[in-house]
Amino acid sequence: MSEQYSADVVVVGAGICAGTVAKELAEAGLSVLVLEAGPRWERGEVVENWRNMPPVNKSESDYATPYPAQPWAVHPQLNPYNEYPEVSEPDASAFRQGMIKGIGGTTWHWAASCWRFLPADLQLHSTYGVGRDWAVTYDELEEYFLIGVNGPNDTSLKYVAPLKKPFPMEPMPYGPADRRFTEVVAQAGYINTPVPQGRNSRPYDGRPQCCGNNNCMPICPIGAMYNGIHSVVKAENAGAKFIPNAVVYRIDTDKDNNITAMHYYDPDTVSHTVTAKTFVLAGNGIETPKLLLLAANDRNPNGIANSSDQVGRNMMDHPGILMSFQASEPIWTGGGSVQMSSITNFRDGDFRRDHSAIQIGMNNTSQNHKAGVKALQMGLVGKKLDEEIRRAACGMDIYVNHDVLAHPDNRLTLSTERKDKLGIPFPHVTYDVGDYVRRSAVHSRQHLMNIAKLFGATEIEMTPWFNPNNHIMGGTIMGHDPKDSVVDKWMRTHDHKNLYIASGGAMAAAGTVNSTLSMVALSLRACDSIKKEMLHA
Ligand SMILES: Cc1cc2nc3c(=O)[nH]c(=O)nc-3n(C[C@H](O)[C@H](O)[C@H](O)COP(=O)(O)OP(=O)(O)OC[C@H]3O[C@@H](n4cnc5c(N)ncnc54)[C@H](O)[C@@H]3O)c2cc1C
Ligand code: SF4
């Protein structure tokens, strides 16, 4: 028999945004029920899964497989590739996103780079006449940057965002590769600065200090890196209830277009109903627009919250170009966390009127798996095998990420080809990075070649296409005008007074840097609005 639950607030999804919302609202005294499509994992179990994975998966950076996808909660898999989400040309390669479905969500296996956007990133149209403006300014957002981040407090560093309060932790010391990278690129005027990181450079918030073992993706074995699960546990301690394996698929509305109920399937496709006063969708930038379209009903035939026809449009990420090479000296990537520094010269400037801003960086991921698998595939044994593996010390991966503009034709719809076990269609995304990025990429490739030259590189390989970066933005875009946006500056949907969206989907311009810190900040703004409405009305 189907169960019915009721709470003050129902939250859909149990990732970092949902966990933050549940924690904030439960601590404020509201009853909170969280529905999560995927299962619950334990840290030790995932560490074991990763240890036992075939080396070839490790060499291909397959970070999802240690978190096995369930048939009722399909997430993207690399090996074998499962076409989730489906992506159409011209730039399909640039939107093959990573995400995982389970309690704690995708940040179980993130890199925890916690950059702040620059003020101009949020006012791109007003400043440079391109793209769209966010509905909030940097000043309004800054008070909501609350994840414990270690970072540089020296704002004279090129394009570190303004700080009203210092970072709570000092930056981590660089490993050998980041130290050498900084020295070498400085010869050509590139300014390499510490990446603000959501990992502990000292014991903090009940979690240990990072020990620099470089396992961050797919899992930090000791919990020094901040994950969504930490917010989940705090929310549970404050009384929030989390239901795993609960896939929300239908949304009911009343005559005033308020949300009255949501329905979820359990793994046996038995439907259950939940009711609440306020609902928050936090299923990430792909799954939330998918659900809004899927849940179309008689009153909302184009989808929930979609009177503007903007749900699923303006999909964004940071299209990347990746270059690998052998340096002429040992660099020793792999000491410290996976992303420690980045070149910030080109994050902002008047050139943004013409082409996109960029972030350039070195992946500090250990090269050992890649080199080891290659050596075995070459059939080497004995001394030759040993020599080949040792070449990992000189291997380097350098990336450039681009600021893409919001475009309504970059659109998520429901697949007409593929469905999951519950009969729910896969998401389908049509994606074109646009000429703004393509013009910038000409310069990006030159920068990459300059850097290769500085390192005396051989065996240079550069992707001819754009790759994804898993920073999913845009599909439920924010704005002041209900006719061309989905949510307002408090993440409340224009169409439904008691429905909020806590996700990167609201972001109206992508900037150049990893966006999760800002997603969490937007989610906290939603909490302030909900608390004002429900506790102080
Ligand atoms: C390999 C990798 C590295 C990354 N590194 C960084 C980084 O260094 N810095 C950075 O800023 N970002 C990084 N990201 C991106 C970051 O992980 C995401 O931005 C972040 O997880 C988004 O949080 P979220 O809460 O919106 O969504 P998620 O963490 O994806 O959680 C959403 C949850 O909602 C659930 N859900 C969805 N639909 C439904 C439904 N209908 N019913 C019930 N539940 C549902 C899902 O199962 C999922 O558990 C990385 C991503 C990847 C893949
Ligand atoms: S380097 Fe190791 S300890 Fe530090 S965050 Fe990454 S996995 Fe955790």
Side-chain angles (χ1 to χ4, degrees), residues 156-199:
S156 68
L157 289 169
K158 186 92 174 159
Y159 295 130
V160 168
L163 294 170
K164 278 205 191 93
K165 281 194 212 147
F167 288 111
M169 289 177 273
E170 286 300 308
M172 309 257 299
Y174 284 169
D178 287 274
R179 272 202 302 275
R180 188 66 186 135
F181 184 70
T182 308
E183 281 165 15
V184 171
V185 298
Q187 294 163 21
Y190 294 108
I191 302 167
N192 196 50
T193 58
V195 172
Q197 302 174 47
R199 56 175 55 76

Side-chain angles (χ1 to χ4, degrees), residues 172-185 192-195 197 214 331-342 361-365 396 399 455:
M172 309 257 299
Y174 284 169
D178 287 274
R179 272 202 302 275
R180 188 66 186 135
F181 184 70
T182 308
E183 281 165 15
V184 171
V185 298
N192 196 50
T193 58
V195 172
Q197 302 174 47
N214 202 246
I331 300 296
W332 298 110
T333 59
S337 69
V338 290
Q339 271 179 6
M340 303 204 72
S341 65
S342 149
M362 179 198 69
N363 282 332
N364 188 37
T365 316
M396 293 185 78
Y399 64 85
F455 280 95

